Amino acid sequence: MQKQRRATGNLFLDNLSGPAFERLRPALTPISLESYQPVDDDGMPVERVLFPLRSMISIVLDMADGSTAEVGVVGREGMTGLAVVLGQTTARQRSLVQIADGAECLPIEDFRAALDHEPELRAFSLRYAQAVLGVSARLSACNALHSTNERCARWLLMANDRVGRERIRLTQEFLGDMLGVRRASIALAAAALQSAGFISYTRGLITILDRPGLESASCECYESMEREWEATMGYSLRRCGLAD
């Protein structure tokens, strides 16, 4: 009888085929991530691939006036280093840790070698790239068309999915930077969600109390992204329970 593989906690790794995962496994190392820690910098060589566990990494673009906007997120559903999958050697955006915890870390040389020698890993990674592009397109439309309250609810749902827990340590200022709105707007959105009983917010700690209610407060984009992700990758990242 074949021994069942132990889950890592990262859905990308856990949904790889056995041979593809075994190609990566010997070089994987667990590491801790700190809040606001830089992961990749625009134009700099990619040196490692991270597979987050209960942490979340933001992909951001910096404008000439100093403003910043989030254009993507990576949590337990995926990995960093997507540029390497697409044949590049340098990062195309800046990324940093937004929610701290841990990750499995893989040196870039080992990842490139695995891509070259394991067709199933390359195919799965390209599907992941397609899924990420779909999410990025939806985020662009969402940020242009939907209210701050709806976008805040959508972001919290995405964070809940990606870190796998209901308590999220996050400042309003940082969330405002990621959504591209003023801190005052985030404060109003958080107050509205708290008054409705969907979340509690105190001293930089957000707790999701009523996930179905939070989904009702979100725009259509959360549900659309979830459906598109599952159709492309074959696994869901939606959080259904409320137990940490």
Side-chain angles (χ1 to χ4, degrees):
M1 182 175 178
Q2 187 177 7
K3 185 178 180 180
Q4 187 174 6
R5 192 170 95 198
R6 177 185 294 181
T8 67
N10 176 277
L11 297 176
F12 181 95
L13 292 176
D14 292 341
N15 283 275
L16 283 174
S17 68
F21 177 75
E22 286 303 315
R23 173 70 69 167
L24 299 180
R25 184 183 58 80
L28 289 169
T29 304
I31 64 170
S32 296
L33 299 175
E34 301 297 329
S35 297
Y36 316 134
Q37 175 184 338
V39 175
D40 290 312
D41 204 359
D42 185 12
M44 298 299 292
V46 178
E47 298 180 346
R48 60 183 181 173
V49 176
L50 300 181
F51 300 90
L53 301 177
R54 290 167 66 87
S55 55
M56 194 169 89
I57 294 166
S58 288
I59 316 299
V60 299
L61 286 180
D62 300 313
M63 301 293 109
D65 63 0
S67 59
T68 297
E70 185 178 69
V71 296
V73 292
V74 183
R76 67 191 181 106
E77 86 291 353
M79 65 177 189
T80 66
L82 192 56
V84 177
V85 175
L86 301 176
Q88 300 174 335
T89 59
T90 59
R92 307 316 303 163
Q93 291 95 22
R94 184 169 66 91
S95 57
L96 71 162
V97 177
Q98 181 160 136
I99 300 174
D101 200 281
E104 294 285 345
C105 179
L106 184 71
I108 199 62
E109 296 82 5
D110 293 281
F111 186 59
R112 286 200 183 98
L115 287 174
D116 290 340
H117 292 95
E118 194 58 58
E120 289 187 34
L121 174 63
R122 177 168 289 278
F124 195 69
S125 298
L126 288 173
R127 278 168 53 198
Y128 175 71
Q130 180 183 351
V132 169
L133 288 173
V135 169
S136 295
R138 175 67 64 167
L139 286 176
S140 296
C142 182
N143 289 337
L145 299 173
H146 296 141
S147 71
T148 300
N149 286 21
E150 290 174 319
R151 290 163 55 204
C152 186
R154 183 263 300 160
W155 192 96
L156 291 173
L157 290 166
M158 292 178 68
N160 181 216
D161 290 340
R162 283 159 177 78
V163 301
R165 61 180 185 266
E166 275 57 56
R167 295 178 181 87
I168 302 169
R169 191 158 295 282
L170 186 73
T171 66
Q172 291 182 359
E173 182 177 7
F174 199 62
L175 180 55
D177 286 344
M178 295 303 98
L179 293 178
V181 298
R182 295 178 302 168
R183 180 179 175 181
S185 298
I186 290 295
L188 290 172
L193 295 174
Q194 183 164 255
S195 295
F198 302 151
I199 67 169
S200 67
Y201 182 80
T202 177
R203 296 184 179 179
L205 182 66
I206 296 175
T207 303
I208 295 174
L209 303 174
D210 179 356
R211 183 173 165 114
L214 196 59
E215 289 186 18
S216 72
S218 173
C219 53
E220 67 194 66
C221 296
Y222 172 74
E223 185 64 33
S224 295
M225 284 189 287
E226 168 62 20
R227 288 198 307 267
E228 290 169 10
W229 185 274
E230 189 167 5
T232 303
M233 293 304 297
Y235 61 84
S236 172
L237 50 83
R238 186 194 300 266
R239 282 279 285 173
C240 297
L242 285 175
D244 277 344

